[in-house]
Amino acid sequence: MINRLHLLKEYTELLEDNGMVAETHIPEEMLEKKVNYVSFNSQDIKYDTLFICKGAHFTVDYLLSALEEGAFAYVSEVKYDKEAPDAPYIIVNNMRRAMALLADLFYNQVWKELTITGITGTKGKSTTTYFMKYILDEYLRDQKKPISAVISGIDNYDGIINEESHLTTPEALDLHRHYDNAVRSGIEFLTMEVSSQALKYDRTYGITFDVGCFLNIGTDHISDVEHPSFEDYLAAKMVLFGQCRIACINLESEYAKMAMEAASGKAEKIITFGLKPEADLCGYDVEPGKRGISFKVKCDSFDEEFRIGMTGLFNVENALAAIAISYGLNIPLEYIKAGLKKARVSGRMEIYTSRSGGLDVIVDYAHNQMSFESLFNSTRKEYPGKKITIVFGCPGKKALGRRKELGEIAGKYADKVYITEEDAGEEPVMKISEEIASHVKEYDCECNIVVDREDAIRQAIETADDNTVILITGKGRETRQKRGTQYIDTPSDVEYVETFLAEK
């Protein structure tokens, strides 16, 4: 691992070579100064830091604070020569891409020392990521090596940092720090979720993934602050296939052909998976059970039975994705089988049963149209004849289409709906809830708005009989709610469920 500091001149030249620089003001002697640290957080500054001015809530006060704490130059899309007249600066025309380039240089392309898998899709990213972690960890433990790293919408582990995540894919500097921590910890494999926002806004720019996996795509994340159209969303997903060596593609997606075309001529190898007979790894003979699912997979080198210890028929596609990725990475079959059998995903399809044994409560992260439809369809097949109650909400100021989509799906398939808080952020919870409720009420379904999430879950459980399945969706084991611009500590949905089931 190379641990070398670079001159400010090298950072400037890198940005110039990539057509990023609009203007610079750096005294000659400063160009020869070594950059000790690169940061966009004014509370994370070391001596001789190159500070990056970015963020929707950025103000010049952050820059002035960083300069006081030890930053000696800044990179920005805006000049602050009046407020900070003595500070050297590099003005760039694309801050997001510039930050990826700066991170890549500061961390000396440490990602090249890892085997990195990137997984994208509207639903299933977290589950597939954790299926891979279990498989890889089985393989690595047998070799007496450190377990694999993971970067996901649930949490991040890199050998040093083990934290609940706030972004599906971190900003470029944070992402490269995770890579660096993993290599410093002796870790060889890292599996990560790659969101459409990360691909669109260059968080992974410059990285080559050993495996890139496409699961699916639905009409989510379409809004003024995310993707203005489905075409923009789809184009962002396809970016992954311009930067991976092996492409794994789900043939069940209607956009599989587009993904294969995007990977053609760029990826060294394309592996398809799915339930279709023409898939390179074809799943068949799916047998669901209350505590897991068995299925068979055939390809050019094996025809074997696998088992996952999670319910939800949609998880078969996620398991097939993990098998395809493992196949591409040459992981022996015994570890794939063992890993999938043991795999559990925090907050995903976690089932809790009342003392009477009649009432089941399922906690799941389902939060968009595709995951909602899959969850309802699977629940109806696995719990035939049972009534369905659901507790959910929608986030503030993002994916605005979900309010209509999730409201309609819940109204159509549920017998009772509780709408509640779910990371409302800077938008009033009641406003979001009433908007969702207007779509639920188009169907013959009981609809309740209970703003307090704890109270909504309590009411759902207290009023349910033994002929009911309750779905608690959206938050899983997350222990924070976004209120305003802050994340506030709260109990998880799992904690609420365990408490109220014990009292029933």
Side-chain angles (χ1 to χ4, degrees):
M1 179 176 60
I2 301 170
N3 188 21
R4 183 170 76 84
L5 296 178
H6 298 273
L7 304 177
L8 181 57
K9 176 173 65 176
E10 294 176 79
Y11 288 92
T12 305
E13 289 174 349
L14 173 65
L15 295 175
E16 287 175 340
D17 290 345
N18 282 272
M20 299 271 96
V21 177
E23 182 183 342
T24 64
H25 173 68
I26 305 172
E28 195 68 30
E29 65 275 13
M30 279 286 190
L31 289 170
E32 301 300 321
K33 193 177 182 70
K34 283 187 177 179
V35 174
N36 183 57
Y37 195 53
V38 179
S39 177
F40 62 86
N41 182 352
S42 61
Q43 296 182 330
D44 179 29
I45 301 294
K46 302 176 182 179
Y47 73 91
D48 290 346
T49 289
L50 177 60
F51 184 67
I52 295 173
C53 303
K54 70 162 288 290
H57 298 284
F58 182 83
T59 71
V60 70
D61 290 337
Y62 294 129
L63 170 60
L64 297 177
S65 174
L67 292 169
E68 286 179 7
E69 294 298 319
F72 76 100
Y74 67 90
V75 182
S76 175
E77 290 181 341
V78 177
K79 273 194 295 188
Y80 297 102
D81 50 346
K82 291 181 181 178
E83 298 90 343
D86 299 324
Y89 58 75
I90 306 169
I91 305 303
V92 296
N93 53 32
N94 184 333
M95 178 53 76
R96 292 183 175 100
R97 183 164 293 189
M99 188 161 65
L101 292 167
L102 295 172
D104 198 39
L105 179 60
F106 179 73
Y107 287 104
N108 295 292
Q109 297 191 317
V110 70
W111 55 268
K112 290 185 176 180
E113 299 182 45
L114 294 164
T115 297
I116 304 176
T117 295
I119 299 166
T120 199
T122 300
K123 71 178 181 75
K125 295 189 297 295
S126 296
T127 301
T128 305
T129 295
Y130 273 89
F131 281 172
M132 280 308 304
K133 177 162 176 58
Y134 273 85
I135 291 167
L136 291 170
D137 289 355
E138 285 291 310
Y139 174 61
L140 292 165
R141 285 192 187 99
D142 202 38
Q143 299 182 65
K144 305 295 190 289
K145 292 182 177 180
I147 60 172
S148 65
V150 65
I151 297 172
S152 79
I154 299 175
D155 52 23
N156 303 316
Y157 171 75
D158 62 17
I160 295 174
I161 294 172
N162 189 1
E163 63 183 6
E164 188 174 300
S165 68
H166 292 158
L167 280 177
T168 301
T169 310
E171 296 283 4
L173 269 170
D174 294 332
L175 185 58
H176 285 261
R177 184 182 294 116
H178 284 306
Y179 296 155
D180 189 61
N181 286 345
V183 172
R184 288 176 185 274
S185 302
I187 290 172
E188 296 179 13
F189 290 87
L190 182 147
T191 307
M192 62 179 288
E193 296 183 45
V194 187
S195 68
S196 60
Q197 293 288 291
L199 292 164
K200 179 177 180 177
Y201 294 123
D202 293 325
R203 291 179 203 161
T204 62
Y205 182 77
I207 297 164
T208 300
F209 295 93
D210 293 277
V211 181
C213 179
F214 173 71
L215 299 173
N216 47 59
I217 188 167
T219 54
D220 195 41
H221 299 290
I222 312 301
S223 72
D224 293 340
V225 295
E226 294 175 284
H227 298 282
S229 65
F230 177 77
E231 289 71 26
D232 184 76
Y233 182 36
L234 180 60
K237 293 288 188 191
M238 295 301 107
V239 169
L240 180 64
F241 298 108
Q243 56 185 110
C244 66
R245 294 191 178 94
I246 299 172
C248 293
I249 297 169
N250 185 6
L251 282 191
E252 300 304 308
S253 170
E254 62 181 300
Y255 293 95
K257 185 178 179 181
M258 182 178 288
M260 292 172 71
E261 289 172 352
S264 182
K266 296 175 182 176
E268 297 168 11
K269 186 177 184 180
I270 297 174
I271 301 170
T272 60
F273 61 91
L275 300 173
K276 298 182 185 299
E278 61 268 31
D280 295 326
L281 282 94
C282 172
Y284 67 105
D285 284 358
V286 178
E287 294 290 340
K290 193 169 183 180
R291 299 299 173 188
I293 304 170
S294 64
F295 58 97
K296 294 178 181 177
V297 180
K298 58 183 174 183
C299 64
D300 59 2
S301 58
F302 63 80
D303 189 343
E304 298 278 346
E305 183 172 270
F306 294 80
R307 180 173 177 80
I308 53 175
M310 293 173 61
T311 59
L313 291 170
F314 48 85
N315 279 319
V316 173
E317 284 185 31
N318 298 327
L320 287 170
I323 295 168
I325 295 165
S326 301
Y327 176 85
L329 293 174
N330 295 313
I331 304 299
L333 194 59
E334 62 185 289
Y335 302 112
I336 303 175
K337 284 188 169 187
L340 286 177
K341 192 172 182 179
K342 292 180 181 179
R344 299 292 184 275
V345 185
S346 177
R348 295 284 185 191
M349 292 303 292
E350 294 196 36
I351 302 173
Y352 299 87
T353 304
S354 62
R355 284 175 292 182
S356 68
L359 173 64
D360 284 315
V361 182
I362 299 173
V363 177
D364 190 71
Y365 277 109
H367 62 278
N368 58 42
Q369 182 181 23
M370 290 187 77
S371 58
F372 251 51
E373 287 178 340
S374 294
L375 179 60
F376 273 109
N377 288 334
S378 185
T379 301
R380 292 168 79 194
K381 288 178 182 176
E382 295 177 57
Y383 295 88
K386 282 208 168 190
K387 293 177 291 185
I388 300 176
T389 293
I390 187 166
V391 180
F392 75 101
C394 284
K397 293 189 175 181
K398 63 182 287 189
L400 303 181
R402 286 183 194 169
R403 300 174 192 185
K404 179 177 187 292
E405 294 162 354
L406 304 195
E408 289 180 345
I409 294 167
K412 184 176 180 181
Y413 294 115
D415 298 279
K416 185 186 290 188
V417 172
Y418 289 89
I419 303 170
T420 190
E421 177 184 22
E422 192 169 305
D423 294 320
E426 299 174 79
E427 200 172 348
V429 179
M430 184 56 76
K431 174 180 175 293
I432 297 170
S433 300
E434 288 175 343
E435 193 173 333
I436 299 168
S438 69
H439 301 292
V440 175
K441 290 173 181 177
E442 294 175 11
Y443 296 84
D444 184 20
C445 171
E446 181 182 337
C447 181
N448 308 275
I449 295 177
V450 182
V451 168
D452 182 85
R453 193 171 183 96
E454 177 180 8
D455 197 33
I457 295 172
R458 179 186 60 77
Q459 289 188 37
I461 291 173
E462 283 184 354
T463 60
D465 60 29
D466 281 356
N467 191 39
T468 303
V469 180
I470 301 175
L471 308 177
I472 314 287
T473 70
K475 296 293 287 180
R477 285 185 176 265
E478 291 179 16
T479 57
R480 294 182 180 185
Q481 278 280 358
K482 188 176 184 184
R483 294 172 183 160
T485 59
Q486 303 296 316
Y487 284 89
I488 308 302
D489 290 341
T490 63
S492 70
D493 286 355
V494 167
E495 291 175 88
Y496 289 141
V497 167
E498 290 178 330
T499 298
F500 299 134
L501 273 182
E503 297 171 355
K504 189 171 175 66

